[in-house]
Amino acid sequence: MGSDEPLVFRDLEINGGGATATATAWTLGLSLLGLAHLAERVSFLTEQIAFFTGPTVGGLVNATCGNVTELILAMLALHQNKIHILKFSLLGSILSNLLLVLGTSLLFGGLSNLNKQQTFNPKVANVSSLVLLLGLLCQMLPLISRFASPSAKLWTDMSVLELSRTCSIIMLIAYLAYVFFQLKTHNQFFGLPEEEEDDEEMAIIGVWSSFGWLVGMTIVIAVLSQYVVATIEEASQSWGVSVSFMSIIVLPIMGNAAEHAGSVIFAVKNKLDITLGIALGSAAQISVFVVPLSVAVGWCSSIKMDLDFGLIETASLAFAIVLTLFTLQDGNSHYIKGMVLLFSYVAISFCFFCSNY
């Protein structure tokens, strides 16, 4: 009997560990569902605030709050020193907006308007694409520097970190210029067409009520995000998938669910300028604002957060941006373009699904 006791206790420990893993997986799953719904509500509230503040301030509020889920997740992951989850989630959000959100929108928009020529303002796409290319360059330089001369060790970790911090300052300045360009000097490029301005809607709730609800939902998002960051690694093991797949693919899909639905609806209604504003605008904000802001906050907190996202990750981002550039270069769209973007996202997703990290 004495020899059986360790086996009994071992079984209890295994069963207890299995129950804990199941609870962790449920916690992550329910938190992601909650984030998806709250992201949609935050988007609605920022639209209500824009009715009272005007297009300039309203656009700035939308730019600030549109990616509040990604920003809060990034800050929490940085605080817990989970740099890999931070990098994965931000990269995944950019890929999701460029390939999944935009690809699905162009696909369903093209299929719903087979007898129409879908066009959009290429100036908006060009500006956002230039900002994305700048962000890509700043993320590629630290990666390239590591491979520049690996035998001579000319680039140390501290050198890469200093380069990342310098590039982050450049990116933040570029983001401020991008917002000023979008909201002040060239806001006519980003305004609604005349036929859409004629169908102007009215606000449903007041401005202070919107602000109050926005603050409350942001607090709830912060609480749920804390659960996500704390449980994503253990839940990944429980589900038998890699942390990179969960962070790059699953997490951004849930976080971008509201933007995804809105972008598709506008594309089906043949309003591609709004679709591009949602997908490209969100990707540009994350690339040249949230990413360098994470580096800057880490710098102030003595956390070594750099812009080296890894070879496969950076290559995936580069191909995604290049595909998007070729897709939007001629100012018109059809469903084949959306299909190519969507299939590219599926291929990248399967790459990270097969990853062991």
Side-chain angles (χ1 to χ4, degrees):
M1 294 293 293
S3 60
D4 291 337
E5 288 183 359
L7 294 176
V8 173
F9 288 125
R10 191 181 307 165
D11 291 340
L12 290 175
E13 183 178 355
I14 293 174
N15 292 333
T20 302
T22 302
T24 301
W26 274 103
T27 301
L28 177 64
L30 293 176
S31 298
L32 290 175
L33 289 175
L35 286 176
H37 178 68
L38 288 171
E40 186 274 332
R41 290 292 86 190
V42 168
S43 176
F44 167 77
L45 290 172
T46 55
E47 291 175 359
Q48 296 301 304
I49 293 173
F51 283 116
F52 299 94
T53 59
T56 302
V57 179
L60 182 60
V61 172
N62 275 287
T64 305
C65 299
N67 293 308
V68 64
T69 303
E70 289 85 351
L71 181 59
I72 293 175
L73 279 170
M75 294 301 105
L76 289 173
L78 186 65
H79 177 70
Q80 299 181 24
N81 205 23
K82 295 184 177 181
I83 304 300
H84 60 294
I85 294 179
L86 165 60
K87 292 181 178 180
F88 286 156
S89 62
L90 294 182
L91 171 72
S93 186
I94 299 174
L95 293 176
S96 174
N97 278 289
L98 292 181
L99 300 180
L100 179 63
V101 176
L102 184 58
T104 307
S105 301
L106 296 184
L107 175 62
F108 283 96
L111 293 175
S112 302
N113 298 273
L114 290 175
N115 297 325
K116 300 178 181 178
Q117 178 68 38
Q118 286 197 298
T119 60
F120 54 87
N121 185 2
K123 296 179 181 179
V124 177
N126 291 338
V127 173
S128 299
S129 299
L130 286 174
V131 173
L132 286 169
L133 285 174
L134 173 63
L136 175 62
L137 173 65
C138 292
Q139 292 183 39
M140 288 183 65
L141 289 177
L143 174 65
I144 296 173
S145 65
R146 291 188 185 275
F147 294 93
S149 183
S151 59
K153 297 294 182 182
L154 296 178
W155 285 87
T156 63
D157 291 339
M158 185 55 63
S159 300
V160 173
L161 186 60
E162 292 174 354
L163 174 61
S164 299
R165 290 169 175 174
T166 302
C167 289
S168 296
I169 295 175
I170 296 173
M171 294 163 73
L172 289 173
I173 295 174
Y175 175 74
L176 294 177
Y178 171 69
V179 172
F180 187 75
F181 178 89
Q182 182 177 358
L183 302 181
K184 194 68 176 177
T185 61
H186 290 71
N187 55 359
Q188 67 274 15
F189 291 168
F190 301 88
L192 293 176
E194 294 181 359
E195 61 270 16
E196 293 175 18
E197 291 179 349
D198 294 338
D199 299 331
E200 184 178 359
E201 300 177 358
M202 299 297 294
I204 299 177
I205 59 177
V207 59
W208 293 114
S209 298
S210 299
F211 271 114
W213 279 107
L214 185 61
V215 172
M217 289 187 180
T218 302
I219 295 174
V220 178
I221 288 175
V223 174
L224 293 180
S225 299
Q226 190 169 4
Y227 282 115
V228 170
V229 174
T231 59
I232 190 169
E233 291 177 308
E234 187 174 346
S236 299
Q237 295 178 355
S238 176
W239 291 342
V241 296
S242 64
V243 176
S244 61
F245 178 79
M246 289 291 297
S247 303
I248 296 177
I249 305 302
V250 178
L251 186 57
I253 287 178
M254 301 302 295
N256 292 332
E259 291 177 334
H260 195 168
S263 179
V264 172
I265 291 173
F266 284 121
V268 170
K269 294 180 179 180
N270 201 18
K271 298 179 180 180
L272 288 186
D273 287 320
I274 302 179
T275 295
L276 294 180
I278 294 174
L280 291 182
S282 180
Q285 289 164 20
I286 295 172
S287 178
V288 296
F289 175 64
V290 180
V291 171
L293 181 64
S294 301
V295 177
V297 173
W299 188 2
C300 297
S301 306
S302 299
I303 298 176
K304 295 181 179 180
M305 166 67 186
D306 57 35
L307 294 176
D308 183 4
F309 279 45
L311 182 59
I312 297 178
E313 291 81 0
T314 306
S316 299
L317 176 62
F319 278 110
I321 294 176
V322 170
L323 279 174
T324 304
L325 287 174
F326 277 103
T327 300
L328 304 177
Q329 64 179 345
D330 56 357
N332 61 75
S333 174
H334 45 74
Y335 68 90
I336 292 296
K337 292 184 176 181
M339 184 188 69
V340 171
L341 293 178
L342 187 59
F343 283 173
S344 300
Y345 186 78
V346 173
I348 293 175
S349 301
F350 190 73
C351 173
F352 289 111
F353 180 78
C354 298
S355 172
N356 294 322
Y357 183 63

